[in-house]
Amino acid sequence: MRKNLRSPRIIKKRRKKKIFKILFFLMAAIGFVFAPSFVSKNSNLQIKSIAVNGNSVVQTEEITNLVLREITGNFLHLYSKSNIFLYPQKTIERKLLEKFSRFNNAEVEITDFNDLSVFVTEREPFALWCQSQDALACYFVDDDGYIFDKAPDFSPNVYFTYFGEIQSSDSPVGSFMLNQNEFSNSEAVIEGLKVLGFNPTGLKFTKKDGTVVLSNSTDIIFRLSDDASRTLSNFESVINDPSLDLRNGNTLKARYFDLRFGNKVFYKKTE
């Protein structure tokens, strides 16, 4: 039987070679991790200024402070968050929209190499929403029915006003007043009434129904989910029927019109 004998010298040499390989790969791994870290913190690759564009109500300082918080520190304790190639762009945009309900859009990008530009679009007040006619506070609504900010006190009829309960656990800011279909139908009814020569001043809504209040105190009751063109067509056919004598120019001779029952329109004439 033949034995394979190794001399201590050969064993020692092979052991050194193995240790060298381990150290080499370990150093390579460390370099792979830490070299980009050092590069990411290079002063020439850091964001040095923040410019904010498009805001008029929300203060620039508030926006800048939010951005600064997001680009301060490191990812995984290694890579600089203020690096122009690594900064958390999507996180900043998302948090701007979460923090400031007045913003309809927010975008950030690097300009002039070391400058971070923030571009925001603020929502424009389209109407007011109040929980009730004697509510202590009312809120701005945009043209999608989105409640985005508390409104100051206004003189009557500065903004068209919606009244009604909404589902909100805390503040109504950040909620939609009505679902998109209901809001779209409501707006179409309001605009249609204007075309017919009337002056809508407000709309009261419940879970299913809406009531437009005209300037002469006539109520127009309709189903929020019903097609607006059909609702208006039924209304117009009734008020323009000379035998019913319900209209005198832009004045209606009825306390209310109930349009919730298809072609059957119910009304109560003024005495």
Side-chain angles (χ1 to χ4, degrees), residues 41-61:
K41 296 173 183 176
N42 186 298
S43 61
N44 293 322
L45 300 178
Q46 302 302 298
I47 294 170
K48 296 180 179 179
S49 68
I50 300 171
V52 180
N53 307 272
N55 60 310
S56 59
V57 177
V58 179
Q59 297 296 310
T60 298
E61 184 179 5

Side-chain angles (χ1 to χ4, degrees), residues 224-240:
L224 292 170
S225 59
D226 285 351
D227 179 72
S229 60
R230 187 172 302 171
T231 298
L232 290 165
S233 176
N234 292 334
F235 174 65
E236 188 174 8
S237 65
V238 170
I239 64 172
N240 288 336

Side-chain angles (χ1 to χ4, degrees), residues 49 108 131 156 162 172 231 241:
S49 68
V108 296
Q131 189 169 7
Y162 286 82
T231 298
D241 186 338

Side-chain angles (χ1 to χ4, degrees), residues 92-109:
I92 294 171
E93 292 173 346
R94 175 175 56 81
K95 290 197 173 183
L96 283 169
L97 295 177
E98 290 175 351
K99 172 70 173 177
F100 304 108
S101 57
R102 186 173 276 270
F103 290 165
N104 187 43
N105 187 55
E107 296 179 1
V108 296
E109 63 181 50

Side-chain angles (χ1 to χ4, degrees), residues 100-104 121-125 142 144 146 148:
F100 304 108
S101 57
R102 186 173 276 270
F103 290 165
N104 187 43
T121 304
E122 292 186 341
R123 301 177 190 274
E124 294 291 335
D142 72 2
D144 288 322
Y146 181 81
F148 65 87

Side-chain angles (χ1 to χ4, degrees), residues 34-259:
F34 285 97
S37 174
F38 290 125
V39 173
S40 76
K41 296 173 183 176
N42 186 298
S43 61
N44 293 322
L45 300 178
Q46 302 302 298
I47 294 170
K48 296 180 179 179
S49 68
I50 300 171
V52 180
N53 307 272
N55 60 310
S56 59
V57 177
V58 179
Q59 297 296 310
T60 298
E61 184 179 5
E62 292 184 83
I63 301 169
T64 302
N65 287 341
L66 184 149
V67 175
L68 283 172
R69 286 195 297 271
E70 295 305 316
I71 64 173
T72 299
N74 303 303
F75 297 109
L76 304 174
H77 303 290
L78 293 172
Y79 309 108
S80 174
K81 287 185 176 182
S82 62
N83 182 278
I84 59 174
F85 299 112
L86 301 177
Y87 75 98
Q89 177 187 10
K90 295 301 180 184
T91 299
I92 294 171
E93 292 173 346
R94 175 175 56 81
K95 290 197 173 183
L96 283 169
L97 295 177
E98 290 175 351
K99 172 70 173 177
F100 304 108
S101 57
R102 186 173 276 270
F103 290 165
N104 187 43
N105 187 55
E107 296 179 1
V108 296
E109 63 181 50
I110 296 296
T111 55
D112 297 329
F113 199 73
N114 293 107
D115 301 330
L116 181 68
S117 292
V118 181
F119 300 93
V120 298
T121 304
E122 292 186 341
R123 301 177 190 274
E124 294 291 335
F126 175 75
L128 292 179
W129 168 80
C130 308
Q131 189 169 7
S132 63
Q133 289 180 298
D134 57 354
L136 297 177
C138 294
Y139 295 80
F140 284 127
V141 177
D142 72 2
D143 56 4
D144 288 322
Y146 181 81
I147 301 169
F148 65 87
D149 202 0
K150 187 176 180 180
D153 293 332
F154 287 105
S155 301
N157 301 326
V158 173
Y159 287 99
F160 187 87
T161 306
Y162 286 82
F163 302 94
E165 297 279 349
I166 65 169
Q167 294 182 348
S168 176
S169 57
D170 190 11
S171 170
V173 172
S175 302
F176 282 95
M177 183 177 58
L178 297 166
N179 68 46
Q180 293 300 293
N181 181 59
E182 292 172 341
F183 184 73
S184 177
N185 285 338
S186 298
E187 281 302 304
V189 169
I190 292 165
E191 291 304 313
L193 290 171
K194 291 179 181 178
V195 171
L196 292 174
F198 304 111
N199 181 29
T201 60
L203 185 148
K204 297 177 286 188
F205 62 86
T206 60
K207 286 185 177 180
K208 294 182 179 180
D209 303 328
T211 301
V212 178
V213 181
L214 302 182
S215 57
N216 68 338
S217 299
T218 299
D219 289 344
I220 311 298
I221 307 167
F222 65 100
R223 194 77 72 188
L224 292 170
S225 59
D226 285 351
D227 179 72
S229 60
R230 187 172 302 171
T231 298
L232 290 165
S233 176
N234 292 334
F235 174 65
E236 188 174 8
S237 65
V238 170
I239 64 172
N240 288 336
D241 186 338
S243 66
L244 299 177
D245 189 29
L246 291 170
R247 181 175 187 176
N248 181 16
N250 293 337
T251 301
L252 293 171
K253 301 178 182 181
R255 293 183 179 178
Y256 69 81
F257 290 86
D258 193 338
L259 308 171

